[in-house]
Amino acid sequence: MTTAVKVDDEAKARLEELQAEIRLEAGKKVTQQELLSRLIDDAYQSRQDVVDSFRESTVPASEEEIDAFLDGTFDSGVETDEEDIDDILYG
């Protein structure tokens, strides 16, 4: 089954450029459909990277994000050591 997918002119041009580079460097003529299928297969194998590329947040956090986080913190004046944390978490 073949389905049409619309892409903008820039994406179409890059697809054609990849297609031409494959023909020149690998000596093999591939259709745009074959190339898209390969790209989709590769993306599917590393799908977490693809999903992450669409996230709006960036890692590490920006200075503004760090400052916003730290604005919500305060010093209680009580020293806490590892034992205190264990007691709080595990009873």
Side-chain angles (χ1 to χ4, degrees):
M1 180 174 121
T2 303
T3 302
V5 176
K6 293 182 181 186
V7 295
D8 61 32
D9 291 337
E10 184 179 343
K12 175 78 169 164
R14 290 189 305 206
L15 184 64
E16 289 169 350
E17 187 178 321
L18 277 171
Q19 186 181 21
E21 193 168 338
I22 291 167
R23 186 173 49 251
L24 287 173
E25 292 189 24
K28 182 175 181 185
K29 190 172 183 177
V30 295
T31 66
Q32 289 181 0
Q33 182 176 343
E34 289 172 311
L35 178 53
L36 281 171
S37 290
R38 174 73 59 93
L39 292 170
I40 291 167
D41 288 344
D42 289 349
Y44 188 79
Q45 294 300 317
S46 58
R47 62 180 156 258
Q48 192 58 54
D49 291 337
V50 175
V51 171
D52 289 344
S53 75
F54 283 91
R55 294 187 194 284
E56 290 184 23
S57 65
T58 58
V59 175
S62 69
E63 288 297 321
E64 287 178 355
E65 293 168 323
I66 292 170
D67 289 342
F69 174 78
L70 292 176
D71 282 345
T73 62
F74 63 93
D75 184 357
S76 67
V78 177
E79 286 228 11
T80 307
D81 63 18
E82 201 170 316
E83 262 183 46
D84 296 327
I85 294 170
D86 287 345
D87 286 344
I88 292 167
L89 290 176
Y90 307 115

